[in-house]
Amino acid sequence: MDWRLGPNGGNDELVGKISKRGAPLRRWFGVMLLSSLGASTGAQAEYVDDPSFQVCTNATGYYDVAATNDWLGRLKTSDAKAMREVSGKWYAEFYNQQLGMTYNNVITYLSTGVMDFTTRTCSEAYGMRSCTDDYGHGLFTAHRDPDGWIFVTRNVTSLTRINACGGGYVRKVKGVLIDRNGTRWKRMK
């Protein structure tokens, strides 16, 4: 999926607040527990009120005003039906021929708006294969466009980024999510 980040806003006070991972991680485990027990009401509300997920950062890690405003607007107008449609555990693998890298991705979307993911990136050079892993969690929201595509917006924190916001279009066809790049996301059990 394509990621869109806005211009640098540079608010160091908010960046300091979002870099403290302990509290959001504890809340994330609580939300995951509530979600698994079927307590979907209020789980997203806890995150929405958490300052850690009310901001977006740019590629250099600084507060991003435009992306934050877009994220908050989309979060407040979530389309519950579109969110349920993309909910589930999805797997995709794709190859970047230009870079010679393979990407294996697993994303889990819960209808409550909570998501987590793992990504394994592997490359081979001079007969040596090396892989790196990234995993994280966050929130997502979804909105259906009039043409049937669903725009999924995410705010994620992982090993490599904090509060990275972005999104991409998907369409569900015969139980498979297909993004605009043609990547097929297959449902996992």
Side-chain angles (χ1 to χ4, degrees), residues 5-188:
L5 297 172
N8 179 7
N11 188 329
D12 294 328
E13 178 184 351
L14 283 173
V15 172
K17 286 182 182 178
I18 63 174
S19 64
K20 297 176 183 172
R21 292 187 183 193
L25 204 53
R26 284 190 299 276
R27 277 190 279 282
W28 179 76
F29 285 115
V31 170
M32 292 302 289
L33 177 62
L34 285 173
S35 297
S36 67
L37 297 174
S40 62
T41 59
Q44 186 176 11
E46 180 178 341
Y47 261 115
V48 172
D49 293 337
D50 181 350
S52 299
F53 283 97
Q54 289 188 2
V55 298
C56 295
T57 60
N58 62 20
T60 58
Y62 287 98
Y63 175 65
D64 186 323
V65 175
T68 297
N69 290 336
D70 181 65
W71 164 249
L72 292 174
R74 290 178 185 276
L75 193 61
K76 289 177 184 174
T77 61
S78 297
D79 178 346
K81 185 176 178 185
M83 290 176 69
R84 281 191 305 274
E85 191 166 334
V86 299
S87 291
K89 188 172 188 176
W90 302 93
Y91 172 80
E93 178 177 310
F94 52 97
Y95 179 72
N96 183 322
Q97 188 173 4
Q98 188 175 15
L99 297 175
M101 299 177 134
T102 302
Y103 303 91
N104 297 293
N105 299 282
V106 176
I107 297 177
T108 303
Y109 295 115
L110 300 178
S111 61
T112 59
V114 176
M115 54 104 33
D116 65 30
F117 70 94
T118 59
T119 301
R120 173 165 270 212
T121 305
C122 297
S123 62
E124 195 167 323
Y126 308 107
M128 301 277 296
R129 180 175 169 89
S130 65
C131 298
T132 59
D133 293 327
D134 187 25
Y135 54 90
H137 67 279
L139 295 179
F140 84 98
T141 186
H143 298 85
R144 184 180 310 282
D145 282 357
D147 63 1
W149 285 91
I150 298 172
F151 190 75
V152 179
T153 310
R154 299 178 286 198
N155 183 333
V156 298
T157 296
S158 73
L159 297 174
T160 61
R161 56 191 169 229
I162 297 173
N163 291 94
C165 295
Y169 285 94
V170 295
R171 180 176 288 214
K172 197 168 185 181
V173 178
K174 296 181 181 177
V176 174
L177 287 182
I178 301 173
D179 67 25
R180 286 211 169 147
N181 297 321
T183 302
R184 299 172 62 85
W185 295 80
K186 297 175 185 169
R187 184 178 292 276
M188 296 178 68

